[in-house]
Amino acid sequence: MAAPRSFLWSRRIFLTLLTGFVLLPVYVMVSSSLKPLADVSGKFQWIPSGLTLRPYLDIWRTVPLADYFVNSLIVAGAATVCSLVVAVFAAYAVSRHAFRGRRVFTVTVLSTQMFPGILFLLPLFLLYVDIGNATGIALFGSRGGLILTYLTFSLPFSVWMLIGYFDGVPRDLDEAAKVDGCGPLGALLRVVVPAAVPGIVAVGVYAFMTAWGEVLFASVMTTDTTRTLAVGLQGYATQNDVYWNQVMAASLVVSVPVVAGFLLLQRYLVTGLTAGAVK
């Protein structure tokens, strides 16, 4: 049965308005990044009078953006890999083995997402400082400390998501792998993990995006040499002026890895999020 024409037109109008609402900030960012600083600092003009690529060249000299870029890639990449490795083994154990306290464990893991990050800032800061004083391991102000910090947020949700996805993988695959001579580890790596690729990709994208754009802990747990992009963008604001055109240009450059990764992996992401949320 065909939908009424009024419904079709209402849907088109709503989607058009929604698209304009989403793309309007993007247009402001792009147009502002192509304007001289004098034009950006004054009254906003929807149609720029002059365009320049100078801000995209200056962003690398005003602040050490390349160093911040490397720090963010290392921290976000390492946090993602560590989160995936631990979450895969933990979720597989919970999904395939019945043990006392299984439900309590899953509820506890998920409940950690209820608390805001500011509650953990001071305890982690004091813990890192004490560990550094006692052992000489520099966690505060280092990339390793920031990676551990991000694991405390991405890992619980990653484990919970993969538990739901592994529950949807038939247990007959495990039994078939064991018949062929695989042990529990071989069944996980050779059979279950390939079947759970969409869920693993979804978890990886979530962990990477969480670490890539995090500001609160990165502003406290880093130094000038380990600063990430989310915090480094503050360097475009000085006591005398704010380089708004460079801020917009740098923001667009920073968004490229996340947007590119999302576009490449979106089919896995949608499938993985849907399956993990339903199970």
Side-chain angles (χ1 to χ4, degrees):
M1 183 175 179
R5 291 180 60 87
S6 59
F7 172 76
L8 295 177
W9 278 105
S10 299
R11 184 176 62 179
R12 292 170 183 172
I13 294 173
F14 174 76
L15 292 178
T16 301
L17 294 175
L18 181 61
T19 303
F21 178 78
V22 173
L23 294 180
L24 183 61
V26 179
Y27 172 77
V28 173
M29 291 181 62
V30 174
S31 61
S32 299
S33 67
L34 296 173
K35 296 179 181 178
L37 181 59
D39 293 347
V40 180
S41 300
K43 184 179 179 180
F44 181 76
Q45 298 178 357
W46 290 100
I47 301 178
S49 58
L51 300 178
T52 177
L53 294 175
R54 187 72 183 178
Y56 286 91
L57 301 177
D58 293 338
I59 58 175
W60 307 99
R61 294 191 289 266
T62 304
V63 300
L65 191 64
D67 295 338
Y68 300 157
F69 212 103
V70 172
N71 291 335
S72 291
L73 284 177
I74 294 175
V75 171
T80 301
V81 172
C82 294
S83 181
L84 284 178
V85 171
V86 177
V88 165
F89 285 101
Y92 181 75
V94 175
S95 175
R96 291 298 192 265
H97 302 285
F99 55 90
R100 182 177 299 177
R102 179 179 182 271
R103 182 172 179 81
V104 175
F105 172 78
T106 55
V107 172
T108 302
V109 166
L110 184 59
S111 64
T112 57
Q113 303 299 304
M114 298 168 50
F115 303 100
I118 190 65
L119 293 179
F120 302 97
L121 181 59
L122 183 59
L124 284 175
F125 173 79
L126 297 176
L127 182 63
Y128 286 178
V129 172
D130 290 341
I131 291 177
N133 294 333
T135 63
I137 301 176
L139 293 178
F140 174 74
S142 66
R143 295 170 179 166
L146 197 58
I147 292 171
L148 289 177
T149 302
Y150 290 157
L151 284 177
T152 61
F153 298 100
S154 63
L155 189 56
F157 185 79
S158 301
V159 172
W160 180 77
M161 278 286 297
L162 285 182
I163 289 175
Y165 204 89
F166 285 162
D167 287 342
V169 177
R171 295 176 180 267
D172 295 340
L173 295 178
D174 301 55
E175 300 300 329
K178 293 178 181 178
V179 170
D180 290 339
C182 294
L185 182 60
L188 170 63
L189 298 179
R190 297 183 180 182
V191 178
V192 178
V193 168
V197 168
I200 295 175
V201 171
V203 170
V205 172
Y206 164 79
F208 185 86
M209 292 179 63
T210 300
W212 185 263
E214 201 279 327
V215 177
L216 176 63
F217 287 90
S219 62
V220 177
M221 298 294 187
T222 59
T223 61
D224 293 339
T225 57
T226 58
R227 190 167 296 166
T228 59
L229 284 170
V231 182
L233 294 179
Q234 300 176 2
Y236 294 105
T238 63
Q239 295 181 352
N240 301 324
D241 204 350
V242 179
Y243 301 101
W244 288 113
N245 54 348
Q246 296 186 36
V247 172
M248 297 302 175
S251 299
L252 291 172
V253 172
V254 168
S255 303
V256 168
V258 177
V259 174
F262 180 83
L263 293 177
L264 291 174
L265 303 174
Q266 61 177 337
R267 63 190 184 96
Y268 296 106
L269 182 62
V270 174
T271 304
L273 288 176
T274 304
V278 172
K279 296 298 179 180

